[in-house]
Amino acid sequence: MSETPSQAKSEGFLEGLVELFAGLEDYRSPYAPTIQPPDHLIQELVQNASFKSGLVSATCSLPPGPLGILSILPELLFMYRIQGHLILDIAALYGKEVQVTKELLLYCLFKHGGAHVFRKIIEESSLKILIRPTTVKVFQTMLEKLGLLISKSIIRKQFARWIPIGGAIVTGTFAYYDTKRVGKTAMDLFSKEIHAEEIRELLESQ
């Protein structure tokens, strides 16, 4: 069975997402833990990142039709790069930059649209976050589930590309509030105690 265009695009996006993680691993936040609660500074960072991602998304959506469709994947990757830097900056302000894993990055990026994807990997309570170890197969399965969510996003953006000006406003607004939600997730997450479950502990519990 042949792939649909949206499925092919989502697979291309997932490949780009893996490359994006490689770039994020080299990113060093300019921020350090603060003596006072960093809430005010984080809110400012979230606001700036939201405006930036909204502007990028709206600008990429301006070319109509096929030309605009070609910009969908670069737009998504650019937006997630902005959001990835925001997540790492928030983690650094809480003194937890070294605890950031690919799983936590994905959790912050996609929790608001696909919390069920992370149910077996990340457990969140009011006081702490428990990260369970993942195998290559489990991580691949998680990416495949995210691919389905990404396909829906790509389809929405394809429709928006055919609406002059209005489509750019819609996608820009969506990116703005999407980044706001990512910032809130990261803030809620890194303000808690993070505990990584060891593989040995996982095997003993089974």
Side-chain angles (χ1 to χ4, degrees):
M1 183 180 296
S2 60
E3 294 181 325
T4 65
S6 61
Q7 287 174 326
K9 286 185 173 64
S10 67
E11 289 183 2
F13 171 79
L14 289 176
E15 291 176 0
L17 193 62
V18 172
E19 294 179 2
L20 174 62
F21 278 130
L24 290 176
E25 289 174 352
D26 294 331
Y27 176 75
R28 294 295 176 267
S29 174
Y31 298 96
T34 59
I35 298 176
Q36 299 296 326
D39 297 16
H40 179 73
L41 180 54
I42 289 176
Q43 293 295 343
E44 185 178 337
L45 290 175
V46 171
Q47 187 70 11
N48 290 340
S50 298
F51 274 121
K52 187 182 296 183
S53 59
L55 180 61
V56 166
S57 183
T59 302
C60 290
S61 301
L62 284 175
L67 184 61
I69 290 174
L70 290 175
S71 68
I72 290 177
L73 293 185
E75 172 200 337
L76 283 171
L77 290 173
F78 205 153
M79 184 178 75
Y80 290 135
R81 181 177 291 107
I82 293 171
Q83 294 177 349
H85 288 173
L86 173 64
I87 293 167
L88 290 169
D89 287 341
I90 292 174
L93 284 168
Y94 281 110
K96 296 175 181 176
E97 189 175 13
V98 296
Q99 292 181 273
V100 179
T101 63
K102 291 179 180 179
E103 289 82 3
L104 284 183
L105 275 171
L106 286 171
Y107 184 71
C108 291
L109 288 172
F110 297 106
K111 179 199 172 185
H112 54 276
H116 62 283
V117 175
F118 305 93
R119 195 166 294 143
K120 294 182 179 180
I121 300 173
I122 296 176
E123 181 179 330
E124 183 173 1
S125 68
S126 59
L127 297 176
K128 70 177 184 178
I129 302 292
L130 175 64
I131 309 172
R132 295 188 174 89
T134 58
T135 62
V136 173
K137 183 177 180 180
V138 169
F139 190 77
Q140 182 63 35
T141 300
M142 181 175 66
L143 287 179
E144 290 172 357
K145 291 179 180 179
L146 290 176
L148 296 177
L149 299 176
I150 295 162
S151 295
K152 295 177 182 179
S153 177
I154 290 173
I155 291 173
R156 288 196 300 267
K157 287 180 178 293
Q158 286 176 335
F159 281 117
R161 291 305 199 261
W162 295 96
I163 306 174
I165 307 301
I169 295 174
V170 170
T171 57
T173 301
F174 178 83
Y176 174 87
Y177 285 106
D178 186 77
T179 304
K180 284 269 191 180
R181 288 190 288 266
V182 169
K184 183 180 186 305
T185 298
M187 190 174 180
D188 291 343
L189 189 152
F190 292 111
S191 63
K192 300 174 182 178
E193 177 186 348
I194 299 176
H195 174 67
E197 187 178 60
E198 299 292 340
I199 294 179
R200 178 175 54 81
E201 295 176 4
L202 181 64
L203 292 174
E204 289 176 353
S205 65
Q206 293 180 341

